[in-house]
């Protein structure tokens, strides 16, 4: 006893047939006999049906011949078939040739679409700056699809985002309009505050990075389409970046590529500083350190607790260096990442767990390298992150404030002592001026008296007896 199902295709559709073994007996169905009158009625009905069908299709053909055979075939198939090309396809089926969306060095010429992914949390203050950058991008806007994830926000991020998008899509200049736009709202229970000390404090890093990885994966999985060739991740608080950044990064034709990220500082702090330390090459010290940590631990750069001694992209910057110089990386920062969409289709993602002792973007870089994909950084191609006082900056500013207050208090105390001294002994300076003037007057009066007396004596000596006056001659 056996049975088998044979599957094949017939006219482009799958078909099945049941093959039954010979062990079963064969039964033939014998219809009951019919009389001649019934047969004549049946034949008449069949003839009438055939004539009606021919008339229907004739009228249908005459009615649709003005729109061509394609429309006729479409109606003939009752909307189930499509006549585009030689092969018929269901209209609800979409065909995508992913060999055409692999990403190339000159994607703007091949009209390759880019998915721009922007995670947002309490970003209301930065959205105006972000959209000013977005409008100035030189990559064709109609090839840029925007995807925003708003999560765990307490301010008016959503309201400002919607208003900004409505304005930019309503611009009179069509070249300013972007392609498909997606807004996704999803909270992940982020409990770390958005102030700098909380976000960048060492204790919060592991948990914060894992939640950020979840957010990135949600955004990507919801927005990535089969027609996207590239994915560009961009932080909302980038202050300065070239308008040609997409073309500049794309020209390198790498699977994953990031620029260098610095930030401006107040002059009293040195004027500028490396910002993103998550772009690095692996080191033996870091690998040894990783072997000593728990399996769920997450190494983060820039903290004394984890001295990795890795070569960082940020510290290799030369302001006058060639911006096209490349550096191989193992970990990448998330401020600005351009990646080919095939990277994510291969299965590379942002691990929300400890992957080789890393998570989120650094784990993403490690995973991409694990799959033999190219991960590159540009040490001399720099974009600038908005200045946010770090924990050290805040401590330094607090120290400067304490020193300023102490100096002001010392000056105030000195002034108060001078005032008390002045009140106790009077205005010595004013009295001295008065005495000085009086003494000068006395001297002037004495000189006048001496002059007058000398003149009187001279006249008396010069007068002779007899009333004559003789001229005095010096001996």
């Amino acid at each position: 006893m056996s049975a088998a199902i044979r599957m094949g295709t017939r006219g482009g559709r799958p078909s099945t047939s049941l093959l039954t073994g010979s062990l079963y007996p064969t039964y033939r169905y014998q219809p009951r006999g019919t009389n001649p009158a019934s047969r004549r009625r049946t034949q008449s009905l069949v003839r009438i049906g055939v004539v009606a069908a021919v008339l229907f299709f004739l009228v249908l053909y005459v009615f649709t011949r003005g729109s061509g055979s394609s429309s006729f075939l479409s109606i003939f198939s009752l909307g189930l078939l499509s006549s585009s090309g030689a092969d018929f396809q269901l209209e609800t089926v979409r065909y995508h040739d992913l060999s055409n969306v692999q990403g190339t060095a000159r994607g703007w010429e091949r009209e390759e679409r880019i998915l721009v992914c922007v995670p947002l949390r309490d970003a209301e203050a930065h959205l105006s700056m972000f959209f000013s950058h977005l409008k100035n991008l030189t990559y064709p806007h109609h090839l840029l699809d925007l995807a925003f994830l708003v999560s765990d926000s307490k301010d008016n991020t959503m309201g400002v985002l919607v208003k900004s998008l409505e304005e930019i899509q309503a611009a009179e200049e069509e070249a300013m309009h972007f392609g498909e736009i997606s807004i996704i709202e999803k909270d992940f229970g982020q409990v770390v505050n958005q102030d700098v000390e909380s976000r960048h404090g060492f204790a919060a890093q592991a948990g914060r990075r894992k939640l950020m990885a979840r957010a990135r994966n949600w955004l990507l999985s919801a927005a990535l389409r089969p027609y996207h060739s590239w994915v560009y991740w961009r932080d909302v608080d980038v202050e300065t970046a070239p308008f040609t950044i997409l073309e500049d990064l794309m020209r390198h034709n790498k699977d994953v590529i990031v620029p260098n990220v610095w930030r401006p500082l107040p002059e009293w702090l040195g004027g500028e500083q490396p910002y993103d330390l998550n772009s690095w090459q692996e080191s033996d010290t870091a690998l040894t350190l990783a072997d000593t940590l728990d399996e769920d631990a997450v190494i983060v750069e820039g903290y004394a607790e984890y001295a990795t001694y890795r070569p960082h992209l940020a510290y290799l910057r030369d302001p006058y260096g060639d911006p096209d110089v490349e550096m191989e990386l193992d970990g990448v920062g998330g401020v600005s990442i351009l990646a080919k969409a095939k990277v994510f289709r291969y299965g590379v993602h942002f691990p929300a767990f400890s992957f080789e002792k890393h998570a989120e973007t650094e784990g993403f870089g490690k995973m991409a390298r694990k799959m033999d994909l190219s991960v590159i950084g540009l040490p001399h191609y720099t974009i600038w992150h908005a200045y946010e006082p770090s924990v050290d900056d805040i401590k330094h500013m607090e120290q400067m404030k304490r020193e300023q207050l102490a100096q002001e208090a010392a000056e105030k105390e000195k002034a108060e002592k001078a005032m008390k001294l002045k009140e106790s002994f009077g205005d010595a300076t004013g009295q001295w001026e008065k005495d000085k003037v009086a003494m000068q007057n006395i001297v002037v009066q004495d000189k006048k008296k001496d002059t007058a007396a000398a003149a009187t004596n001279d006249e008396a000596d010069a007068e002779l007896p007899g009333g004559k006056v003789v001229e005095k001659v010096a001996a």
Side-chain angles (χ1 to χ4, degrees):
M1 182 173 64
S2 65
I5 296 180
R6 183 180 63 195
M7 301 192 64
T9 57
R10 184 178 303 160
R13 293 184 177 182
S15 62
T16 62
S17 62
L18 183 63
L19 306 179
T20 307
S22 60
L23 294 178
Y24 290 96
T26 302
Y27 296 96
R28 293 184 178 179
Y29 173 72
Q30 301 292 337
R32 285 184 289 180
T34 56
N35 56 43
S38 298
R39 286 200 300 270
R40 284 196 296 270
R41 284 196 301 269
T42 301
Q43 291 173 355
S44 298
L45 291 174
V46 170
R47 292 191 186 99
I48 293 172
V50 170
V51 172
V54 171
L55 291 175
F56 171 76
F57 287 115
L58 181 62
V59 173
L60 190 62
Y61 173 75
V62 172
F63 178 76
T64 60
R65 65 180 180 178
S67 59
S69 61
S70 176
S71 298
F72 174 72
L73 182 60
S74 178
I75 296 176
F76 174 76
S77 63
L78 301 179
L80 294 177
L81 299 178
S82 173
S83 61
S84 59
D87 298 330
F88 298 136
Q89 297 180 6
L90 291 174
E91 286 188 350
T92 53
V93 174
R94 300 291 180 265
Y95 175 75
H96 298 280
D97 186 358
L98 293 185
S99 63
N100 295 327
V101 291
Q102 296 300 302
T104 62
R106 303 184 68 84
W108 60 93
E109 295 178 352
R110 296 168 53 90
E111 295 196 341
E112 295 176 356
R113 301 191 70 86
I114 302 177
L115 174 64
V116 181
C117 294
V118 187
L120 300 174
R121 182 188 175 209
D122 292 333
E124 178 184 357
H126 300 294
L127 283 173
S128 176
M129 177 177 64
F130 172 79
F131 275 97
S132 68
H133 291 314
L134 204 60
K135 294 175 183 177
N136 290 323
L137 290 176
T138 56
Y139 200 89
H141 286 195
H142 71 281
L143 298 176
L144 298 177
D145 296 330
L146 311 180
F148 300 89
L149 174 66
V150 181
S151 61
D152 300 289
S153 290
K154 299 178 182 178
D155 62 3
N156 192 31
T157 295
M158 180 64 77
V160 175
L161 174 62
V162 171
K163 182 180 178 181
S164 300
L165 288 172
E166 290 175 347
E167 290 177 355
I168 201 170
Q169 293 299 91
E172 295 182 359
E173 188 178 354
E174 291 189 4
M176 298 298 295
H177 299 173
F178 291 89
E180 181 181 334
I181 297 177
S182 302
I183 298 177
I184 302 166
E185 189 169 15
K186 163 70 177 172
D187 290 339
F188 296 90
Q190 181 66 264
V191 296
V192 178
N193 294 328
Q194 279 292 83
D195 61 278
V196 177
E197 188 168 359
S198 298
R199 285 194 296 126
H200 294 286
F202 175 76
Q205 291 309 303
R208 177 173 172 268
R209 299 283 177 89
K210 293 176 181 178
L211 284 180
M212 289 171 63
R214 292 181 184 178
R216 289 184 186 272
N217 291 330
W218 270 76
L219 176 56
L220 180 72
S221 62
L224 185 63
R225 301 287 183 263
Y227 45 77
H228 288 135
S229 299
W230 297 86
V231 178
Y232 180 52
W233 292 90
R234 175 72 169 255
D235 278 3
V236 71
D237 46 5
V238 171
E239 187 174 79
T240 306
F243 301 151
T244 57
I245 186 170
L246 292 174
E247 295 93 328
D248 295 341
L249 298 180
M250 188 180 294
R251 282 190 296 103
H252 292 263
N253 198 25
K254 302 301 180 182
D255 296 320
V256 180
I257 187 168
V258 296
N260 204 338
V261 185
W262 279 49
R263 66 170 182 165
L265 294 178
E267 289 300 326
W268 53 270
L269 282 176
E272 61 185 25
Q273 183 186 52
Y275 178 80
D276 195 345
L277 300 182
N278 296 333
S279 297
W280 39 261
Q281 286 182 347
E282 192 57 275
S283 67
D284 292 336
T285 303
L287 293 174
T288 302
L289 171 65
D291 291 337
T292 65
L293 301 175
D294 296 336
E295 62 177 2
D296 196 43
V298 175
I299 297 176
V300 288
E301 291 296 311
Y303 296 88
E305 290 82 353
Y306 289 138
T308 60
Y309 299 100
R310 289 166 169 159
H312 292 85
L313 179 71
Y315 290 122
L316 299 178
R317 171 180 176 252
D318 180 358
Y320 306 102
D322 183 358
D324 289 331
V325 170
E326 299 178 354
M327 171 184 177
E328 289 190 354
L329 298 176
D330 292 288
V332 296
V335 176
S336 175
I337 305 174
L338 181 66
K340 293 184 178 181
K342 70 176 185 180
V343 171
F344 302 100
R345 295 188 179 112
Y346 284 157
V348 181
H349 61 280
F350 301 95
F353 52 90
S354 179
F355 175 80
E356 296 189 356
K357 303 300 188 296
H358 292 91
E360 207 219 348
T361 60
E362 292 170 292
F364 166 75
K366 297 275 283 189
M367 192 178 296
R369 288 297 301 269
K370 200 80 171 179
M371 298 185 70
D372 294 326
L373 299 172
S374 56
V375 181
I376 296 296
L378 305 179
H380 310 315
Y381 187 101
T382 308
I383 67 174
W384 297 85
H385 193 278
Y387 170 68
E388 297 176 288
S390 65
V391 176
D392 292 337
D393 295 345
I394 293 174
K395 291 180 179 179
H396 186 72
M397 286 188 286
E398 290 175 350
Q399 179 62 30
M400 291 181 62
K401 186 65 176 178
R402 287 193 294 268
E403 292 175 356
Q404 181 182 357
L405 292 175
Q407 183 178 359
E408 291 176 354
E411 292 177 352
K412 182 178 180 181
E413 183 180 0
K414 182 178 179 180
E416 290 176 351
K417 288 182 177 179
M419 181 63 68
K420 290 180 179 179
L421 184 64
K422 181 177 180 180
E423 291 175 354
S424 300
F425 298 97
D427 190 356
T429 301
Q431 185 62 41
W432 166 249
E433 292 294 333
K434 292 179 181 179
D435 294 343
K436 180 179 178 181
V437 172
M439 292 178 64
Q440 289 176 344
N441 291 336
I442 293 173
V443 171
V444 171
Q445 292 295 330
D446 291 342
K447 287 183 177 180
K448 288 181 178 180
K449 290 180 180 179
D450 293 341
T451 303
T456 302
N457 294 332
D458 289 343
E459 290 178 357
D461 293 340
E463 209 173 273
L464 294 175
K468 294 183 180 181
V469 179
V470 292
E471 184 178 357
K472 294 182 64 177
V473 180

